[in-house]
Amino acid sequence: DAGVTQSPTHLIKTRGQQVTLRCSPKSGHDTVSWYQQALGQGPQFIFQYYEEEERQRGNFPDRFSGHQFPNYSSELNVNALLLGDSALYLCASSTLRTSGRNTGELFFGEGSRLTVL
Amino acid sequence: GQNIDQPTEMTATEGAIVQINCTYQTSGFNGLFWYQQHAGEAPTFLSYNVLDGLEEKGRFSSFLSRSKGYSYLLLKELQMKDSASYLCAVVFVGGGATNKLIFGTGTLLAVQP
């Protein structure tokens, strides 16, 4: 049973460029959340996708956008990269409870480490 | 707001007991997780509390007081491998079909011989 997989694991970009990060959730999970983790900090919530729609969003600018596909996989896109976007980007998957509220445990991928020069 | 506060760093001795505290704003609260994160790795699940009281799982225990907006993670019989960052994360009720999980900054625990 594959866990959460992310690609690429590492990448280097320059300021102003665009990047796309990819995530496949754990088997049986339908909800994907994205987090940004700067060095020495806790993960910061970017947004969450369920049923191919953005359901929740953190305090991130519109340069950060995403998508969820019918197979539940997801992409995170960041446009006009800034030096401050350098971080570990974590994808986490979970499943919506029958109650209709997602309070399930998050399973994290190993992350994509982005360096912006 | 959805502020979550926990100490930045702690140091403890191998074999000892350490308690890591976490406070949060209670509005919209719908559960609390503790995660462990070793350097360069993804966070891994330790515990989940949604009702008041203590949840024990081996050497690790987690406590929750919803009225006080307070939780702690208790680590017993510390081992060197317990050196890691411990993340407190709170589930806040969302406006749509789902809730969101918000993390604190993490507590970096150093276990010394």
Side-chain angles (χ1 to χ4, degrees):
Chain A
D1 179 22
V4 180
T5 57
Q6 292 187 244
S7 63
T9 55
H10 296 82
L11 70 166
I12 300 173
K13 294 284 188 178
T14 57
R15 282 178 298 175
Q17 285 189 311
Q18 179 265 346
V19 68
T20 297
L21 308 177
R22 296 176 177 83
C23 171
S24 293
K26 179 179 170 63
S27 178
H29 285 184
D30 53 19
T31 305
V32 173
S33 301
W34 286 93
Y35 290 83
Q36 179 195 67
Q37 187 174 26
L39 199 61
Q41 300 295 315
Q44 296 294 309
F45 177 74
I46 303 175
F47 43 52
Q48 180 185 74
Y49 277 84
Y50 170 69
E51 292 185 332
E52 302 179 49
E53 290 186 11
E54 183 183 292
R55 298 290 182 158
Q56 304 284 346
R57 190 176 182 93
N59 189 27
F60 279 79
D62 292 343
R63 298 187 297 111
F64 289 76
S65 63
H67 190 77
Q68 186 179 34
F69 300 93
N71 66 353
Y72 308 119
S73 66
S74 177
E75 288 182 350
L76 164 65
N77 300 293
V78 187
N79 295 323
L81 283 167
L82 304 174
L83 295 180
D85 295 331
S86 295
L88 179 67
Y89 288 84
L90 293 164
C91 170
S93 74
S94 56
T95 183
L96 206 65
R97 300 289 187 185
T98 55
S99 66
R101 290 288 185 177
N102 180 2
T103 57
E105 172 190 345
L106 289 183
F107 288 80
F108 284 88
E110 293 301 317
S112 295
R113 183 164 297 282
L114 170 66
T115 301
V116 182
L117 302 177
Chain B
Q2 296 165 338
N3 292 337
I4 300 169
D5 294 315
Q6 50 181 133
T8 305
E9 296 181 354
M10 297 183 72
T11 302
T13 304
E14 192 175 15
I17 299 173
V18 70
Q19 177 174 314
I20 303 174
N21 296 324
C22 172
T23 58
Y24 60 89
Q25 294 185 296
T26 58
S27 177
F29 173 84
N30 199 24
L32 186 145
F33 287 88
W34 284 94
Y35 280 82
Q36 180 191 60
Q37 187 176 28
H38 285 100
E41 298 181 9
T44 56
F45 170 82
L46 288 178
S47 68
Y48 173 62
N49 294 71
V50 66
L51 300 176
D52 290 348
L54 188 68
E55 294 282 340
E56 298 186 77
K57 186 184 296 184
R59 295 190 299 115
F60 293 2
S61 303
S62 57
F63 172 83
L64 176 67
S65 170
R66 289 174 296 173
S67 62
K68 295 182 179 179
Y70 168 69
S71 173
Y72 67 72
L73 179 68
L74 193 71
L75 292 75
K76 303 176 185 176
E77 302 171 12
L78 281 172
Q79 302 175 9
M80 299 298 291
K81 68 177 182 179
D82 296 329
S83 294
S85 182
Y86 290 85
L87 302 165
C88 174
V90 176
V91 182
F92 289 101
V93 173
T98 64
N99 298 330
K100 57 183 176 182
L101 187 64
I102 304 299
F103 284 82
T105 57
T107 299
L108 186 61
L109 173 66
V111 179
Q112 298 177 340

